[in-house]
Amino acid sequence: MSKLVIVGTVAFDAIETPFGKTDKILGGAATYIGLAASHFNMDAAAVSVVGDDFPQKYLDILSNKNIDISGIEIVKEGKTFFWSGRYHNDMNTRDTLITELNTLADFSPVVPENYRDAEIVMLGNLHPTVQSSVLDQMVKKPKLVILDTMNFWMDIALEDLHNVMKRVDVITINDEEARQLTGEYSLVVAARKIHTMGPKYVVIKKGEHGALLFHDEAIFYAPALPLEEVFDPTGAGDTFAGGFAGYIAKTGDTSFENMKKAVIFGSTLASFCVEKFGTERMENLKSEEVHKRLLQFKQLTQFDITLT
Amino acid sequence: MSKLVIVGTVAFDAIETPFGKTDKILGGAATYIGLAASHFNMDAAAVSVVGDDFPQKYLDILSNKNIDISGIEIVKEGKTFFWSGRYHNDMNTRDTLITELNTLADFSPVVPENYRDAEIVMLGNLHPTVQSSVLDQMVKKPKLVILDTMNFWMDIALEDLHNVMKRVDVITINDEEARQLTGEYSLVVAARKIHTMGPKYVVIKKGEHGALLFHDEAIFYAPALPLEEVFDPTGAGDTFAGGFAGYIAKTGDTSFENMKKAVIFGSTLASFCVEKFGTERMENLKSEEVHKRLLQFKQLTQFDITLT
């Protein structure tokens, strides 16, 4: 059992999909990562910032799942980061309607004292210098650092992104971002280039088409579970990352073989996340449900060809 | 060991990709299906039509692979079907530059006498009434009929397509075609609707994202092998279908479990097809190479999560 540090936003989201819309609800990368990681037996702490407009009941959701929230700073008279977006009919693309950084603009994360020796660090999507500042606080080199990022930072802070990438073991990005970062269309070639930028392990998320895990010349492919209906994709990528990080932290095993399983757990948890608006499905997810869906993943992908 | 009847075009293709262009080369659905199916030990016959402008050496390629070509009609003073297309940079879309139906316009397929009791029938992409006329010639109900089709027939011959669909067991179409045929975006819902149209098994091809096999509520997902470079996608879908049909014919086993393996063989063979222009890679493909790539598919997809 390892300690897991989760860094990322804790936020208000307002979401529109073809199925309806929400008022301000609980959101943020660290929230989704924490809810997913809480399915594994370990010590985890979320490091983030909110304003004092943030309801205590939202923080309780995380602490009730045994996520240490002492690293979530509450800024007095501050307002919480707010994001609003609208998904298109195909659910694969979305428009950002509102981004209010608020307290996030001056976020200087502080890792709780007793988590500075954590073995696993999950850096959720944030400015790369903020991600770096978390690594600076670790008193010993973590066993595994996982970085999530997005095209926005490639556009406005590419050098900072390259700097933090040199310090991480695993990067998770989507297919278009991998292409943007490398200028390569082939994901195989793109992953190889990203290896040279630092991360020994590259996870490329392809949404409804699953995720690829690359390490040297080895590749593993976890499909997404084909779903009748995607209700709200918000948080699916963070949930995937949280399941991945959580499983690694629980097992303490950072081998490629174990990462395959971590990718499957990440995909499994993400398949629940999209079934309801926001965090609703993840808040009430039972371990029996996860267990059952893992069996579906096995049936979906496992075959028995004996080669003679 | 079963007999396999393959119906489809035997053609000239001229192909442009970002990597170069070809003059008129060997092409056609029945050609690719036959080359793929020839990797399995069985009796197979191709049923098609060409003009007498078609080089004997092209026909020899099929007969040298033990494909019976007595059902390929050679029309005297006729010209062979010719297709020319140009792929876009992403290799996922293409423009048709030239379609000359020629002898294909009046094609009336005749199944060789000794193949009218074949257990497996692979209906390559053709006008649905031509596909139906092949089934009319079978003297006993085949164990498995596989149908490939495309959006073109949905546009101009939808009723005929529905008629032939009622008579087949397996349909192979791509994701966009499944959506067009059903009006459903979700492939899970689309496959369920297609079941009600006739085929008990639905294979949805997603190109670089692999293929899904549906049967009742069961789903199997075969990924495509992530490739450094797709050189020419022409014939990949037919090669997939040929591998699928060939493996079923060889094993004589039409269970869902065996179809999973057939889908993996189809994906494996298709991964070679795209490596060179036209049929070049498939003409010289060795069984050791297929064997080796099947192992790659296992590594790509197989994991070992033991649930307690």
Side-chain angles (χ1 to χ4, degrees), chain B residues 94 104 223 225 252 307:
Chain B
R94 70 185 183 191
L104 193 66
L225 195 73
L307 296 165

Side-chain angles (χ1 to χ4, degrees), chain A residues 22-42:
Chain A
T22 71
D23 290 327
K24 282 189 179 183
I25 58 172
L26 174 61
T31 305
Y32 284 102
I33 293 168
L35 288 173
S38 72
H39 284 271
F40 306 95
N41 181 26
M42 89 202 85

Side-chain angles (χ1 to χ4, degrees), chain B residues 72-180:
Chain B
I72 303 182
E73 184 191 0
I74 302 173
V75 176
K76 233 178 154 170
E77 294 177 15
K79 288 183 72 182
T80 302
F81 172 56
F82 172 52
W83 174 82
S84 172
R86 182 192 291 137
Y87 288 88
H88 300 169
N89 278 334
D90 68 1
M91 287 295 209
N92 285 321
T93 49
R94 70 185 183 191
D95 295 323
T96 290
L97 303 175
I98 303 170
T99 307
E100 293 174 6
L101 287 181
N102 297 330
T103 52
L104 193 66
D106 304 310
F107 176 39
S108 180
V110 179
V111 179
E113 206 67 56
N114 56 330
Y115 274 88
R116 294 192 180 175
D117 60 351
E119 292 87 352
I120 313 291
V121 177
M122 174 71 231
L123 301 171
N125 178 37
L126 281 171
H127 194 296
T129 58
V130 176
Q131 293 175 317
S132 281
S133 77
V134 169
L135 297 182
D136 294 338
Q137 296 171 50
M138 304 308 287
V139 295
K140 64 171 193 182
K141 192 175 155 52
K143 195 165 172 187
L144 201 78
V145 179
I146 305 153
L147 177 91
D148 188 45
T149 189
M150 69 184 294
N151 50 1
F152 182 67
W153 309 116
M154 298 171 198
D155 293 335
I156 70 156
L158 185 59
E159 197 183 329
D160 297 325
L161 177 59
H162 276 296
N163 286 335
V164 72
M165 279 177 68
K166 291 186 187 119
R167 305 173 69 185
V168 311
D169 304 287
V170 185
I171 187 171
T172 68
I173 49 178
N174 74 31
D175 42 3
E176 286 316 309
E177 290 158 352
R179 287 170 177 144
Q180 179 174 344

